[in-house]
Amino acid sequence: MLPDGGGDDEERWLAEGIAGVQQNAFYMHRALDSNNLKDALKYSAQMLSELRTSRLSPHKYYELYMRAFDEMRKLEMFFREETRRGSCSVVDLYELVQHAGNVLPRLYLLCTVGSVYIKSKEAPAKDVLKDLVEMCRGIQHPLRGLFLRSYLSQISRDKLPDIGSEYEG
């Protein structure tokens, strides 16, 4: 599964990936602090681009994924706050993140905004989740697809339209 090189190269690739996540997360936080949505989306997409690697074993990829996951929680809170204040509608935000350049970062951002979309109850949870699941199937790489679907399930687990749930209808 790994290209020729071995453990030393993998450690270096992981370190480079983590450095990329941290650097873009820093700029994303600066954009969030200044309420600059456009730059926040740009830097979050660049941060998520680090997850496009095929050079890491599942164990090392998990380390990189967890760094990005922590940062995405902060972005989700920002999105929730922005839509609650009325600065940006969740529908506009859902449309806006679809302009991310690469598929994998776009889908992570869509899952994040989708979570806020479901929470807003502006659309049925069933419809939003169906849309997100269908799009996540588009990732053909087994490792990246597995982690993306894991992210979707983690971010939406408290928003499932079960019987008796507040998101049922």
Side-chain angles (χ1 to χ4, degrees):
M1 181 167 175
L2 290 175
D4 293 335
D8 292 341
D9 285 344
E10 189 179 19
E11 288 295 329
R12 184 174 44 84
W13 294 324
L14 176 62
E16 289 171 4
I18 289 172
V21 167
Q22 289 174 333
Q23 179 182 10
N24 286 302
F26 172 78
Y27 290 115
M28 179 186 79
H29 288 289
R30 283 180 56 184
L32 295 177
D33 290 343
S34 61
N35 285 329
N36 187 338
L37 181 61
K38 184 180 174 187
D39 280 352
L41 289 174
K42 178 179 94 173
Y43 289 116
S44 62
Q46 288 175 356
M47 176 187 70
L48 291 165
S49 289
E50 296 295 334
L51 294 174
R52 294 176 59 216
T53 186
S54 297
R55 295 177 159 179
L56 300 175
S57 67
H59 179 73
K60 300 293 183 189
Y61 190 90
Y62 175 76
E63 289 182 46
L64 185 62
Y65 165 82
M66 287 309 297
R67 300 285 179 117
F69 179 82
D70 292 341
E71 299 302 333
M72 292 306 291
R73 283 295 193 191
K74 296 168 187 163
L75 188 63
E76 180 189 10
M77 289 187 295
F78 174 78
F79 288 160
R80 192 171 292 141
E81 186 62 29
E82 285 297 295
T83 57
R84 190 184 60 76
R85 284 189 302 175
S87 304
C88 183
S89 83
V90 71
V91 177
D92 291 342
L93 196 54
Y94 196 72
E95 293 293 323
L96 187 61
V97 298
Q98 294 189 34
H99 296 288
N102 291 305
V103 174
L104 191 66
R106 181 184 320 140
L107 290 175
Y108 274 99
L109 288 170
L110 276 169
C111 290
T112 306
V113 174
S115 171
V116 176
Y117 198 5
I118 293 168
K119 195 97 169 149
S120 75
K121 298 181 184 173
E122 290 184 33
K126 183 179 178 181
D127 294 345
V128 175
L129 286 170
K130 183 178 179 183
D131 189 34
L132 292 172
V133 167
E134 288 298 318
M135 285 189 278
C136 287
R137 286 185 182 162
I139 299 298
Q140 296 298 309
H141 189 276
L143 188 62
R144 290 185 290 232
L146 176 72
F147 279 90
L148 176 63
R149 289 187 293 277
S150 172
Y151 180 73
L152 175 60
S153 63
Q154 288 172 342
I155 205 160
S156 62
R157 69 176 173 243
D158 60 337
K159 299 165 193 73
L160 297 175
D162 293 332
I163 296 172
S165 164
E166 64 179 298
Y167 304 105
E168 179 182 358

